[in-house]
Amino acid sequence: PKDIEVRMSLGVPGRSSIDSYYEIVADGITYADGAAKIVWVDLRTGRSTPLPEHIAAPLRGLVKEVP
């Protein structure tokens, strides 16, 4: 068994989405990384919709540069 660290960071929020980035690290070695786009969706229409400001504003404060 080994302790692992899962790191997550966010990109800059867009109109209706935000990019997210992930790394799995153990003993200083990155074993996996990945990315996903998180999209805010109107459940009635199934289409993307603008991120509410009360969601987007705090996320803008969390933005971290990804190497």
Side-chain angles (χ1 to χ4, degrees):
K2 184 180 284 205
D3 289 335
I4 65 167
E5 181 178 349
V6 178
R7 300 174 183 164
M8 178 189 179
S9 58
L10 298 172
V12 178
R15 184 189 76 80
S16 63
S17 65
I18 187 165
D19 292 323
S20 58
Y21 305 93
Y22 307 89
E23 291 181 303
I24 297 176
V25 179
D27 299 328
I29 300 169
T30 300
Y31 285 94
D33 61 22
K37 184 174 290 279
I38 302 168
V39 180
W40 196 263
V41 174
D42 182 322
L43 295 178
R44 288 174 287 143
T45 66
R47 298 179 57 86
S48 66
T49 190
L51 287 166
E53 189 59 22
H54 72 278
I55 301 288
L59 293 176
R60 287 186 202 104
L62 296 174
V63 173
K64 179 180 177 183
E65 290 293 319
V66 176

